[in-house]
Amino acid sequence: MSGPPGFVDPLLAWKTQFGREIERVAATDIYMGKIGELPVTPFVEKAQIEALASEFAVREGDVWLVTALKSGTTLTQEILKFLLGQTASDNPLQAVPWLEVSARVPMIGLPISVANSIPSTNGHRFWKSHWLPRDHLAPNGGKSKFIYVARNGLDVCVSFFHHIRGFPLYEYAGDLNDFFEKFMDDGRTLDFGSWWEHVGAWWRRRNDADVLFLFFEDLVREPRANIAKIAAFVGIELDAARLDLIVHETSFEQMKKRPLFYDLVRLPDATPFLRKGVAGEGKAVLSADQVRRFEDKCKAFFVGDLSDFPWQRAASN
Ligand code: A3P
């Protein structure tokens, strides 16, 4: 169905074996898991979440990269990979593991006991998370830091639509208009719930000393300054040559040249995981009415803070 001949999609293999066990979001045309009231990617499993909360041994120097889906997670994983001293050919998904994935999923799932045994590199370990801040899974204990990356929700919506259509795991056949309604419906059916709540909750934490709040748009437009900001926050010194190298290697063009695991498990006719990498697409492809509804919801939700969002700055220029 996908990947090179003979390749077994580990996500579908997992789903056939264990997917029936997950608690699913009520009747919907999208295959989505559920933990408590939160819709989650189908391979995020309750047992793993519980193990993460109770068994994960937080260490000084741990940094969590937290995002709502489609906001520049993989790009930031690439940046962090280089900060660990790794090279272009290293796998960003292994450099910054996503511990919320069921340990039973081949290739990307990691038992917490194994995560605990991963050595720090120069005093650092990096982890990826899509969880909400109010009850972040990582026991913090004042030891971890958090990098949050946010992106214009309209662009997230369009990118998310292509993401979900391309992974057979979700079994989704709707169109962009249908998906937009799911996105607007406070994400009651989409991975990790409401985009507004996710961004809003971390935005309220943006001035805390343990949080670096970044925007995808800034990362793409001013990579040098923002990569330097990440390095300084994490506590890694970079000389100019290393910074230049990271800027070059994490550009969309360079990243496109390297194989990414996700593309092996997407449908043959799907858009690639690194699809366009631009800012402002949502406004161009969604209708004027959809854009207005999105913006009205932002005004109601992000009270008073809107002008601080870069896509909002661009709109009011
Ligand atoms: P598009 O679908 O709009 O192209 P995530 O990793 O959080 O799932 O986000 C994926 C989005 O980030 C995709 O957006 C992808 O193309 C974009 N992206 C990844 N690396 C990028 C880079 N180096 N420069 C610009 N965009 C990048």
Side-chain angles (χ1 to χ4, degrees):
M1 198 172 181
S2 62
F7 179 80
V8 178
D9 178 342
L11 302 185
L12 280 188
W14 169 83
K15 187 169 166 183
T16 312
Q17 220 179 337
F18 303 114
R20 67 185 179 283
E21 294 172 19
I22 62 171
E23 189 190 350
R24 283 195 55 187
V25 166
T28 167
D29 57 352
I30 197 161
Y31 192 94
M32 193 69 64
K34 190 177 172 195
I35 293 182
E37 287 310 304
L38 190 67
V40 292
T41 312
F43 50 64
V44 171
E45 203 178 32
K46 199 163 171 233
Q48 178 78 359
I49 297 300
E50 287 169 354
L52 187 47
S54 63
E55 290 169 32
F56 179 74
V58 65
R59 228 182 268 166
E60 198 79 52
D62 279 347
V63 179
W64 291 81
L65 163 63
V66 192
T67 57
L69 266 75
K70 311 320 293 172
S71 304
T73 326
T74 315
L75 163 60
T76 316
Q77 281 175 287
E78 279 282 346
I79 293 168
L80 293 174
K81 168 182 105 177
F82 283 99
L83 292 185
L84 285 178
Q86 297 186 7
T87 61
S89 59
D90 287 303
N91 181 351
L93 310 186
Q94 274 171 2
V96 188
W98 183 15
L99 299 183
E100 288 142 28
V101 173
S102 164
R104 302 193 289 187
V105 176
M107 320 278 281
I108 46 176
L110 208 59
I112 299 304
S113 56
V114 174
N116 283 339
S117 69
I118 293 179
S120 303
T121 306
N122 299 326
H124 300 289
R125 294 186 307 177
F126 297 138
W127 312 104
K128 158 184 162 176
S129 172
H130 289 306
W131 212 263
L132 301 168
R134 60 165 185 262
D135 47 7
H136 198 274
L137 294 167
N140 188 352
K143 290 180 181 169
S144 345
K145 291 182 177 178
F146 300 89
I147 298 172
Y148 189 78
V149 184
R151 182 184 190 186
N152 182 346
L154 285 173
D155 293 345
V156 167
C157 178
V158 174
S159 179
F160 207 168
F161 165 71
H162 290 285
H163 172 97
I164 281 189
R165 280 296 304 260
F167 284 114
L169 186 72
Y170 292 106
E171 299 174 5
Y172 180 60
D175 63 14
L176 181 59
N177 290 329
D178 177 73
F179 189 84
F180 177 79
E181 296 307 324
K182 287 182 162 64
F183 191 77
M184 287 294 288
D185 186 26
D186 269 332
R188 261 187 284 250
T189 51
L190 299 181
D191 319 39
F192 299 95
S194 159
W195 175 82
W196 287 265
E197 264 190 42
H198 209 285
V199 176
W202 282 97
W203 181 246
R204 284 190 286 281
R205 289 263 276 119
R206 71 191 180 284
N207 293 323
D208 294 354
D210 60 345
V211 173
L212 176 65
F213 195 105
L214 296 173
F215 290 102
F216 168 88
E217 290 77 6
D218 292 336
L219 263 177
V220 171
R221 201 179 34 199
E222 295 174 339
R224 205 168 203 282
N226 283 278
I227 293 169
K229 221 186 254 184
I230 294 174
F233 175 73
V234 169
I236 288 178
E237 278 189 34
L238 287 180
D239 60 25
R242 182 84 188 150
L243 185 53
D244 286 343
L245 175 108
I246 302 177
V247 169
H248 173 71
E249 289 292 357
T250 57
S251 69
F252 188 74
E253 294 68 30
Q254 283 303 110
M255 277 176 58
K256 281 286 277 186
K257 291 180 188 166
R258 303 196 282 268
L260 190 62
F261 165 75
Y262 297 135
D263 283 319
L264 291 175
V265 294
R266 285 176 70 70
L267 292 164
D269 59 350
T271 52
F273 191 87
L274 296 181
R275 194 179 54 91
K276 288 196 169 168
V278 296
E281 183 191 14
K283 207 161 194 167
V285 303
L286 292 164
S287 72
D289 186 54
Q290 286 168 328
V291 171
R292 185 191 50 74
R293 284 173 56 203
F294 169 84
E295 288 178 347
D296 285 350
K297 196 163 166 142
C298 286
K299 278 182 207 139
F301 196 93
F302 301 129
V303 185
D305 285 334
L306 266 182
S307 61
D308 289 324
F309 294 133
W311 57 88
Q312 209 53 41
R313 269 182 251 143
S316 53
N317 281 341

